Amino acid sequence: MSPFCSVLILGKELRLDPDRGLRELKARAAAASALFRQGASTLFTLEAHLRHQQDSGSAIVQKLLLELGVPPSAIFAENTTCSTRAELERLRQLAPPPPVLILTASYHLPRVRKLLLETGVSASAHAPEGLLHLASPQERRWILEGLPNPTTLQQEKKREQLFSAA
């Protein structure tokens, strides 16, 4: 049984590296699917259309969740947010049943945890790889394929430091 009732799958900008971004979204969707199978009742995806993306982040994540067998009734999808802060603020407005888990990449966790404090959202933030032990074979494959390589990890950590300083 999942210790989490609600899960927010954070979006990922696909403009800089669409293939890698999609792999990261697949990893997040896979981890959310594993949590759903463990008893999480609602999976939230809130990202709108971002620049140079054909589909909204929410539409992409929703499609991935459906592909993994999550029923539409368990997915709350909105195309309303364009930043991590906006995703957290919208989640606070929606007031999902606690406890809430936020899924994002490992390099993004420090900023997300800082934003959780700033926005007053009561939730835990985790990376998909922390949920491998709950994953089905397909979910496990998606999570592992979504892990950034060491070079990408360093680049993203530098980018995150810049965003955190702003």
Side-chain angles (χ1 to χ4, degrees):
M1 191 62 133
S2 172
F4 298 100
C5 291
S6 307
V7 178
L8 171 61
I9 303 135
L10 291 181
K12 172 69 179 159
E13 182 188 12
L14 304 178
R15 182 173 47 111
L16 297 175
D17 188 342
D19 292 334
R20 183 176 60 82
L22 183 57
R23 286 192 307 272
E24 285 189 29
L25 285 178
K26 286 177 82 171
R28 296 171 197 187
S33 173
L35 287 168
F36 173 76
R37 283 187 300 94
Q38 295 295 313
S41 61
T42 308
L43 308 180
F44 291 84
T45 178
L46 305 171
E47 188 179 59
H49 284 86
L50 300 181
R51 288 177 294 187
H52 308 353
Q53 285 182 207
Q54 182 177 350
D55 296 317
S56 71
S58 287
I60 294 167
V61 170
Q62 186 173 24
K63 180 181 169 206
L64 294 169
L65 291 169
L66 293 171
E67 187 177 333
L68 290 166
V70 175
S73 60
I75 304 168
F76 182 94
E78 267 187 2
N79 301 320
T80 56
T81 64
C82 293
S83 71
T84 302
R85 179 181 291 278
E87 286 176 294
L88 296 177
E89 289 172 347
R90 180 62 181 135
L91 185 70
R92 187 184 67 229
Q93 292 169 355
L94 294 168
V100 179
L101 180 122
I102 311 291
L103 284 169
T104 193
S106 61
Y107 59 79
H108 194 215
L109 286 172
R111 184 161 58 100
V112 170
R113 289 176 177 149
K114 178 183 171 194
L115 288 170
L116 285 169
L117 292 172
E118 290 176 9
T119 59
V121 173
S122 178
S124 298
H126 299 277
E129 57 268 29
L131 299 166
L132 276 170
H133 64 287
L134 301 176
S136 70
Q138 181 180 13
E139 293 162 348
R140 184 177 192 73
R141 187 173 61 254
W142 282 15
I143 291 169
L144 293 173
E145 289 171 355
L147 293 175
N149 64 41
T151 302
T152 299
L153 192 58
Q154 285 306 108
Q155 291 170 342
E156 289 289 357
K157 283 182 178 181
K158 287 179 185 176
R159 198 172 285 128
E160 285 297 316
Q161 287 173 342
L162 290 173
F163 282 127
S164 291

